[in-house]
């Protein structure tokens, strides 16, 4: 069942270049036939010289053999060019398919899947299929055609030669079979072990700063070393029992060994008078035709298994659930946002939001407050459609979000979250991402409003500075670039999740005023742990355990003596202390 799944995964992925691969296999078919001709020519030359004494015929056969060799070279090069061109096209098509698929997955998917994992799939796993696309199919053709041609000639020459010719291949395959029975399961265990050691190395490297501050470096390094030793032990237990059988099989099927074996059998049969000298020559010449193709495929076996595993992961990535968008999309007629009976889950089992009823009236500020883990961020991410609710719906201007095209939705909604995302591009491009046609004047205007303009000018290349190439920005500076980006997008609805969490004391007051001026004429949904920043909000929603337990304005909520009043009192006491 697993083999069928992996094969179907490979078949699905290579479908766009299937025609090219079939053509390459046809070319390789004739190349394989041409490759057998010189070996048959050696036998026929022997017959012409020894049996018939016809040197002229021998010369003609030699020229035929030379022509076949030349044709084989041309055909092999042609097939190789076709498969490698197909592989280049395949990788381009597949990466575009992945990129297209990633534009339709929920934005929350990128929060729960690391960039490293996505890079590995898009780069390493796609490359892992190179051997299959570029080499395996043509190698299989040769591995089938060459022995069949040799077998047909031996049957024509003397059927009694066949058992002796295939015996080395049969013995070698029997030895290989002893080590291949549970190869798939062992490869899975090997991949798991590799994942464990990679995770251990990553955890160790990422935790170095914490280790230096709080100590425990010996314990951390010991855990990493133990994981490495465990991997070595598991790998050795896997291969140690296979080495003898593998080495013996390869030795038996090596060209020289197979020729010597065939010669031994041939001389024995010749001594018994069962075959003649020419047939002994045929055995020596054609026996490698049965062993060599199998050795080539066995050499490729590891890469084939890696390719199949990579194909499964790639298909899994392509089949990542997408955000559904109605075929007939609509445009919202207002900026009124409504959450109606919304329930949301991450794992499909436990709701993190339950029965949310909330309306954001146009040009009002709604603040979400509450203890950590109460569902504030989850609720705020439903509006820019990081994911869809399990039940209920979110509407914008009376239109369900699933009926609004993504480009239309993001022309209405912009957001600034704590987990800042900047591209490996210039600062200008990062700021102008939502408005690529923006002028330098507009870019500088929003950068000044976000209090990041002077810092940008202090960099050697200013707005042309390429992020990620030796340029180091603090968390606050990075967040201010995202604020400038959101300001430039000029959307009527803004979602803010601790948008000034990294603001320093020097810029905090000015940045807060700039944010207030920017959001003044917009519909705002904001999350704040500093309750002093939401006292002027039009409505404050207090969340607990995924539900809105209180709502109202600051004074009314404080006077109610509920959870909000408790949070407010705790904040006041901290400030006094």
């Amino acid at each position: 069942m697993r083999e069928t799944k992996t094969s179907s995964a490979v078949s699905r992925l290579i479908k766009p270049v299937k025609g090219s691969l079939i053509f390459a296999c046809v070319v390789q078919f004739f190349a394989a036939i041409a490759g057998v001709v010189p070996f048959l020519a050696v036998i026929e030359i022997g017959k012409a010289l020894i049996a018939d004494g016809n040197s002229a015929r021998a010369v003609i056969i030699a020229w035929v053999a030379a022509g076949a060799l030349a044709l084989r070279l041309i055909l092999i090069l042609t097939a190789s060019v076709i498969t490698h061109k197909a592989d280049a096209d395949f990788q381009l098509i597949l990466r575009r398919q992945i990129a297209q698929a990633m534009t339709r997955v929920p934005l929350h998917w990128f929060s729960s899947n690391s960039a490293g994992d996505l890079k590995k799939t898009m780069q390493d796993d796609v490359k892992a299929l190179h051997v299959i696309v570029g080499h395996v199919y043509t190698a299989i053709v040769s591995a089938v055609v060459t022995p069949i041609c040799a077998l047909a000639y031996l049957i024509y020459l003397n059927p009694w030669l066949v058992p002796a010719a295939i015996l080395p291949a049969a013995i070698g395959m029997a030895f290989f079979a002893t080590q291949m029975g549970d190869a798939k399961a062992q490869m899975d265990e090997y991949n798991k072990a590799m994942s464990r050691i990679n995770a251990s190395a990553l955890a160790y490297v990422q935790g170095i700063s914490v280790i230096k501050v709080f100590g425990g470096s010996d314990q951390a390094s010991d855990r990493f070393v133990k994981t490495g030793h465990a991997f070595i032990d598991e790998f050795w237990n896997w291969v140690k029992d296979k080495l003898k059988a593998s080495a013996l099989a390869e030795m038996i099927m090596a060209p020289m060994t197979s020729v010597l074996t065939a010669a031994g059998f041939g001389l024995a049969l010749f001594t018994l008078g069962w075959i003649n000298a020419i047939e002994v020559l045929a055995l020596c010449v054609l026996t490698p035709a049965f062993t060599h193709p199998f050795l080539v495929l066995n050499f490729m076996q590891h890469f084939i298994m890696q390719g199949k595993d990579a194909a499964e992961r790639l298909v899994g990535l392509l089949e990542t659930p997408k955000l559904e968008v109605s075929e007939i999309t609509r445009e919202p007629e207002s900026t009124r946002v409504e959450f109606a009976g919304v329930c949301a889950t991450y794992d499909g089992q436990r709701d993190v939001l339950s029965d949310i009823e909330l309306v954001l009236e146009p040009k009002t500020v709604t603040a979400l407050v509450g203890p950590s883990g109460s569902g504030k961020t989850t609720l705020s991410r439903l509006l820019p459609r990081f994911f869809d609710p399990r039940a209920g719906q979110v509407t914008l201007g009376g239109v369900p979000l699933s009926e609004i095209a993504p480009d239309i939705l993001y022309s209405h909604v912009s957001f600034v979250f704590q987990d800042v995302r900047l591209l490996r591009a210039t600062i200008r491009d990062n700021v102008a991402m939502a408005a690529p046609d923006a002028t330098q004047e507009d870019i500088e205007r929003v950068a000044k409003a976000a209090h990041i303009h002077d810092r940008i000018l202090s960099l050697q290349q200013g707005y042309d500075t390429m992020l990620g190439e030796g340029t180091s920005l603090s968390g606050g500076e990075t967040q201010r670039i995202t604020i400038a980006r959101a300001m430039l997008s000029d959307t009527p609805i803004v979602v803010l999740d601790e948008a000034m969490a990294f603001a320093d004391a020097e810029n905090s007051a000015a940045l807060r005023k700039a944010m207030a001026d920017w959001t003044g004429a917009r519909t705002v949904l904001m999350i704040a742990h500093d309750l002093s920043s939401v006292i002027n909000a039009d409505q404050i929603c207090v969340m607990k355990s995924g539900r809105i337990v209180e709502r109202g304005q600051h004074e009314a909520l404080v006077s109610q003596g509920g959870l909000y009043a408790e949070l407010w009192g705790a904040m006041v006491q901290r400030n006094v202390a």
Side-chain angles (χ1 to χ4, degrees), residues 9 20 38 49 61 75 112 177 186 214 240 288 347 386 460 474 476 481 540 553 558 574:
S20 296
L49 294 177
I61 295 173
L75 292 176
S112 55
Q186 290 177 332
F214 296 99
K240 68 179 181 180
D347 56 14
F386 270 45
Q460 186 172 4
S474 68
I481 289 178
I540 302 171
Q553 294 185 321
V558 171
R574 286 196 303 271

Side-chain angles (χ1 to χ4, degrees), residues 300-542:
M300 291 183 175
Q301 180 66 22
H302 177 71
F303 299 103
I304 293 172
M305 294 177 67
Q306 283 186 331
K308 288 183 175 181
D309 287 341
E312 285 190 43
R313 290 190 292 270
L314 286 163
V315 169
L317 182 65
L318 291 172
E319 292 179 348
T320 301
K322 312 296 190 299
L323 283 177
E324 297 297 329
V325 179
S326 175
E327 293 184 2
I328 302 177
T329 58
R330 301 157 57 192
E331 289 207 27
E333 297 180 356
S334 71
T335 59
R336 185 177 188 272
V337 178
E338 182 176 0
F339 297 78
V342 168
C343 300
T345 179
Y346 290 128
D347 56 14
Q349 299 177 355
R350 183 180 64 87
D351 281 346
V352 292
L353 292 177
S354 301
D355 301 322
I356 300 296
E357 299 285 344
L358 177 62
V359 174
L360 312 182
E361 296 293 348
K363 299 183 180 180
T364 63
V365 176
T366 298
L368 302 178
V369 301
S372 297
S374 59
K376 304 184 297 296
T377 296
T378 302
L379 176 55
S380 69
R381 295 192 175 192
L382 287 172
L383 180 50
R385 217 180 169 201
F386 270 45
F387 59 98
D388 284 333
R390 178 189 63 78
Q393 67 177 5
V394 184
T395 60
L396 171 58
V399 181
L401 296 187
S402 61
E403 297 181 15
I404 302 175
D407 56 336
I408 299 297
L409 175 63
Y410 296 122
S411 70
H412 284 72
V413 181
S414 59
F415 47 87
V416 180
F417 292 137
Q418 292 187 63
D419 50 340
V420 176
R421 294 287 187 268
L422 295 180
L423 296 181
R424 187 181 179 86
T426 65
I427 293 178
R428 176 185 290 103
D429 290 340
N430 270 278
V431 174
M433 190 179 304
D437 296 330
T439 64
Q440 181 65 23
E441 181 181 353
D442 289 333
I443 293 172
E444 292 184 8
R445 173 178 54 79
V446 295
K448 290 175 181 178
H451 292 267
I452 192 64
H453 174 71
D454 292 339
R455 171 63 176 131
I456 295 173
L457 292 183
S458 71
L459 299 173
Q460 186 172 4
Q461 294 179 289
Y463 282 87
D464 292 320
T465 300
M466 182 69 70
L467 296 178
E469 293 186 355
T471 300
S472 178
L473 296 177
S474 68
E477 291 165 348
T478 301
Q479 194 168 47
R480 275 180 273 161
I481 289 178
T482 64
I483 291 173
R485 175 197 297 165
M487 288 180 172
L488 189 61
S489 66
D490 198 29
T491 60
I493 303 171
V494 181
V495 181
L496 305 173
D497 183 356
E498 288 295 324
M500 294 184 292
F502 297 103
D504 52 66
E506 179 182 354
N507 291 299
S508 180
L511 186 56
R512 195 180 298 276
K513 181 180 184 303
M515 293 282 286
D517 293 340
W518 170 51
T519 59
R522 289 170 171 79
T523 304
V524 179
L525 177 63
M526 63 181 298
I527 297 173
H529 292 93
D530 180 6
L531 299 187
S532 64
S533 65
V534 302
I535 58 177
N536 295 319
D538 296 286
Q539 67 171 335
I540 302 171
C541 297
V542 186

Side-chain angles (χ1 to χ4, degrees), residues 181-357:
D182 56 350
K184 185 60 183 175
Q186 290 177 332
M187 179 59 74
D188 289 341
E189 289 301 319
Y190 170 79
N191 288 331
K192 291 178 182 177
M194 283 296 296
S195 296
R196 287 194 293 269
I197 195 170
N198 287 336
S200 176
L202 185 62
Y204 179 64
V205 172
Q206 290 180 338
I208 285 177
S209 58
V210 178
I211 292 169
K212 285 185 175 181
V213 173
F214 296 99
S217 58
D218 292 339
Q219 295 178 352
S221 62
D222 286 346
R223 283 193 295 271
F224 174 60
V225 171
K226 286 179 180 178
T227 305
H229 284 310
F231 170 75
I232 293 173
D233 292 339
E234 290 177 15
F235 181 75
W236 176 243
N237 289 333
W238 174 26
V239 301
K240 68 179 181 180
D241 295 331
K242 312 293 183 183
L243 288 177
K244 293 181 180 179
S246 177
L248 188 58
E250 290 191 18
M251 184 176 65
I252 291 172
M253 300 179 75
M256 183 59 68
T257 307
S258 61
V259 169
L260 291 175
T261 304
F265 278 111
L267 290 174
L269 294 173
F270 177 76
T271 302
L272 293 172
W274 292 2
I275 62 176
N276 58 39
I278 297 300
E279 291 167 345
V280 174
L281 176 63
L283 268 181
C284 295
V285 170
L286 294 180
T287 296
F290 297 97
T291 57
H292 179 69
F294 185 82
L295 283 176
V296 172
L297 289 181
N298 181 70
F299 174 76
M300 291 183 175
Q301 180 66 22
H302 177 71
F303 299 103
I304 293 172
M305 294 177 67
Q306 283 186 331
K308 288 183 175 181
D309 287 341
E312 285 190 43
R313 290 190 292 270
L314 286 163
V315 169
L317 182 65
L318 291 172
E319 292 179 348
T320 301
K322 312 296 190 299
L323 283 177
E324 297 297 329
V325 179
S326 175
E327 293 184 2
I328 302 177
T329 58
R330 301 157 57 192
E331 289 207 27
E333 297 180 356
S334 71
T335 59
R336 185 177 188 272
V337 178
E338 182 176 0
F339 297 78
V342 168
C343 300
T345 179
Y346 290 128
D347 56 14
Q349 299 177 355
R350 183 180 64 87
D351 281 346
V352 292
L353 292 177
S354 301
D355 301 322
I356 300 296
E357 299 285 344

